[in-house]
Amino acid sequence: MTSFVFAVIVYSEESSEYESAGSFESSSTEDELEEREALEELERDAEPLSLKYPTRQYPSLEESDVAAIFQAQNVEGYWLLDDLELIGLDGKKVEELLLKAGAKSLGTTVHTALKRLLAVLLVLKLLATQLPSQFPLRLLPTVHITGKVEGRYVSKVEKAVAYAAKIDQLYPSLCGRLELGHNWDSATEDIWLNVQLRKL
């Protein structure tokens, strides 16, 4: 890999000298551009996840937003895909993503549970990312609370986490089987990138 990068740099410098001398051919220019694009692609692939998925992809949350989110929560602890509009996500696009992944082939019961599970994980991901001190949550290795949940939403957060853990235990490895991501953490990251109602 090191020798490849060095060769590109040397060739680029030599090409620049040829161009200034007026003898740089168009075919060499095309080759150089292709090599530069290849190098840039390698560099992009090497970026850490923190750069690929910056926190600015998530909407900011006010107290009124948090209240609306938990007001929409079902008594059993889950949210519906339609509720995702409250947090800036297009629930219909999430549903389309699941259908393309083959979620219907799992049967109605599992498909319904999967939709609810994903809605829960997307909500918890947002809360944990934007309000980490108030909602200390992690989705790896499974969704769990890592500290003390502050405020009046303790029982609601506990219900959401318990629901997600129950469904994940009942139907393990759904994320991998449907190829939504390496795990639920990366899958929710990808969804936040691709199905927002508006780009932030």
Side-chain angles (χ1 to χ4, degrees):
M1 179 63 69
T2 304
S3 60
F4 172 75
V5 174
F6 177 76
V8 171
I9 294 173
V10 171
Y11 184 78
S12 175
E13 291 175 349
E14 291 178 352
S15 298
S16 178
E17 292 176 0
Y18 294 152
E19 186 176 23
S20 63
S23 60
F24 188 65
E25 297 179 357
S26 59
S27 60
S28 298
T29 303
E30 292 175 0
D31 290 343
E32 181 186 7
L33 287 174
E34 289 178 359
E35 289 173 346
R36 284 180 178 175
E37 289 174 358
L39 180 58
E40 288 173 358
E41 185 176 350
L42 288 172
E43 290 174 344
R44 282 197 301 270
D45 291 342
E47 287 179 350
L49 289 180
S50 60
L51 295 180
K52 286 187 176 182
Y53 304 120
T55 56
R56 58 185 169 82
Q57 73 190 268
Y58 299 97
S60 58
L61 290 175
E62 304 293 337
E63 176 57 32
S64 59
D65 299 319
V66 178
I69 289 169
F70 283 108
Q71 188 174 1
Q73 186 184 28
N74 182 276
V75 292
E76 292 183 28
Y78 63 81
W79 285 271
L80 302 175
L81 292 183
D82 289 342
D83 297 326
L84 295 179
E85 186 171 350
L86 292 169
I87 60 174
L89 288 176
D90 190 331
K92 289 183 174 59
K93 287 186 178 180
V94 176
E95 171 72 4
E96 290 172 6
L97 184 152
L98 292 177
L99 291 176
K100 287 179 180 178
K104 258 192 171 178
S105 66
L106 301 173
T108 303
T109 301
V110 180
H111 184 203
T112 299
L114 174 60
K115 290 191 289 184
R116 294 172 179 177
L117 170 62
L118 191 51
V120 169
L121 295 176
L122 287 166
V123 170
L124 295 182
K125 181 74 171 180
L126 173 65
L127 295 173
T129 301
Q130 296 299 75
L131 302 170
S133 61
Q134 189 175 353
F135 299 101
L137 303 161
R138 285 182 60 84
L139 272 60
L140 288 174
T142 58
V143 60
H144 62 286
I145 301 171
T146 62
K148 182 180 179 182
V149 178
E150 299 178 6
R152 54 197 172 100
Y153 302 114
V154 176
S155 63
K156 291 182 175 292
V157 171
E158 289 176 345
K159 278 188 176 182
V161 170
Y163 180 85
K166 179 182 73 174
I167 299 302
D168 199 31
Q169 186 173 20
L170 277 174
Y171 311 112
S173 306
L174 282 179
C175 185
R177 285 166 61 187
L178 295 176
E179 298 183 349
L180 296 172
H182 296 297
N183 48 59
W184 284 121
D185 190 59
S186 65
T188 51
E189 289 278 11
D190 289 338
I191 290 173
W192 269 107
L193 280 175
N194 297 312
V195 300
Q196 289 181 29
L197 286 170
R198 57 194 179 280
K199 292 301 178 184
L200 304 168

